[in-house]
Amino acid sequence: DVKVTQSSRYLVKRTGEKVFLECVQDMDHENMFWYRQDPGLGLRLIYFSYDVKMKEKGDIPEGYSVSREKKERFSLILESASTNQTSMYLCASRSAKTDTQYFGPGTRLTVL
Amino acid sequence: AQSVTQLDSHVSVSEGTPVLLRCNYSSSYSPSLFWYVQHPNKGLQLLLKYTSAATLVKGINGFEAEFKKSETSFHLTKPSAHMSDAAEYFCVVSAASGSARQLTFGSGTQLTVLP
C-alpha cells in the first residue's frame, strides 16, 4: 500500500527560527513535492524534486529551500520562519511513469 | 496553459440523496483528471482518475465521474450520500504524463451532509 509520512502533524515555532519539515515515502518514487494549503488559495506548489539531489522551484519558493539527499526523503526548510508561513504543508510523491500523486497527512505549522 | 474551475465552493445534501460536485477544466493538451478528497486535518486521498481510457470512471466509496470532452467537464457524483462523505473535494488536471509542473488544483468544494 502507498505510504507517505510527514514528521509532525502539528508544529509551533517562533519567528526567526529555522524549521525543518520532513517527508518520507516508501514507494521508490522518483518525484516528490511540497505544497502549502491556505483557505481560499487552495494548494500551491513550493518546490519539487525529479530525483535525488534534483530540485526545481514551484510557484511560491520564496522563503523556502529543500533538500533531497536520499530517494525516499524530501525535506522542506524554512530558513527564518515568519508569521506569513503559518499554513498546512502537504508532501506528495509520484512515480515518473504516471501522473498520480500520493499525499502525506500534512503538517500544520504555526509561526508565532 | 491549463485551469480548473470548481463551480461550487459549498454543497449541502441530505444523507441518502445524490451528490453532484461540478468541475470544468481547460487544457491545451489531452489531460489527465483527478478527484481528491480531504477530511479535516488530513492529507489528500485519491478518489479516482481519468487517463483517456473509459470516459466513465469509478472510484472508491461509491463515487464516479464522467469525462465529457465536448463540455470540458469532469463532474463527480455519488448516488447516495453518507455522513462520512462530508469533506473537501478537489478537482485536479494534469496536462501531460511525467510533467511535474503541469498539475493544477481547483479551489475545492466543501461537501456537507445533513442527517
Side-chain angles (χ1 to χ4, degrees), chain A residues 9-10 33 35 37 43 48 50 56-59 88 90 94 96-106 108, chain B residues 32 34 36 38 40-46 49 51 88 90 94-101 103 105-107:
Chain A
R9 292 300 311 278
Y10 299 93
F33 306 82
Y35 296 88
Q37 183 180 22
L43 272 80
F48 62 97
Y50 288 113
E56 189 164 330
K57 294 179 180 178
D59 300 316
M88 170 73 108
L90 292 166
R94 185 187 81 169
K97 299 183 183 67
T98 77
D99 47 10
T100 302
Q101 292 190 16
Y102 297 93
F103 285 81
R108 188 167 291 284
Chain B
S32 295
F34 308 81
Y36 283 87
Q38 186 179 31
N41 294 312
K42 297 285 179 72
L44 276 69
Q45 180 185 15
L46 180 67
K49 64 177 180 179
T51 53
E88 189 157 23
F90 293 92
S94 176
S97 181
S99 174
R101 290 193 63 86
L103 205 62
F105 287 79
S107 55

Side-chain angles (χ1 to χ4, degrees), chain A residues 34-87:
Chain A
W34 275 106
Y35 296 88
R36 64 177 283 176
Q37 183 180 22
D38 301 287
L41 297 175
L43 272 80
R44 294 179 291 169
L45 181 64
I46 305 171
Y47 266 98
F48 62 97
S49 170
Y50 288 113
D51 210 330
V52 176
K53 298 192 187 296
M54 305 292 287
K55 61 185 180 184
E56 189 164 330
K57 294 179 180 178
D59 300 316
I60 52 163
E62 295 78 19
Y64 303 94
S65 62
V66 290
S67 173
R68 186 135 181 237
E69 296 296 318
K70 293 185 177 181
K71 192 174 187 179
E72 67 270 18
R73 188 179 298 269
F74 191 35
S75 303
L76 180 69
I77 303 153
L78 286 65
E79 297 290 342
S80 178
S82 64
T83 55
N84 64 11
Q85 292 178 310
T86 291
S87 187

Side-chain angles (χ1 to χ4, degrees), chain B residues 3-114:
Chain B
S3 66
V4 179
T5 303
Q6 292 184 242
L7 297 162
D8 307 290
S9 58
H10 292 86
V11 169
S12 185
V13 301
S14 296
E15 191 175 20
T17 65
V19 176
L20 170 64
L21 305 183
R22 299 182 295 165
C23 172
N24 286 117
Y25 71 92
S26 69
S27 176
S28 304
Y29 307 95
S30 296
S32 295
L33 293 156
F34 308 81
W35 277 98
Y36 283 87
V37 61
Q38 186 179 31
H39 289 91
N41 294 312
K42 297 285 179 72
L44 276 69
Q45 180 185 15
L46 180 67
L47 271 181
L48 51 80
K49 64 177 180 179
Y50 165 78
T51 53
S52 76
T55 56
L56 183 63
V57 183
K58 294 189 184 298
I60 61 171
N61 301 334
F63 284 94
E64 62 182 37
E66 186 171 8
F67 174 71
K68 292 187 176 180
K69 188 175 181 179
S70 60
E71 299 176 11
T72 61
S73 70
F74 190 57
H75 301 334
L76 182 70
T77 60
K78 183 174 181 178
S80 176
H82 192 271
M83 297 297 289
S84 61
D85 295 328
E88 189 157 23
Y89 292 79
F90 293 92
C91 182
V92 182
V93 62
S94 176
S97 181
S99 174
R101 290 193 63 86
Q102 298 300 315
L103 205 62
T104 302
F105 287 79
S107 55
T109 298
Q110 185 68 46
L111 175 65
T112 299
V113 181
L114 304 170

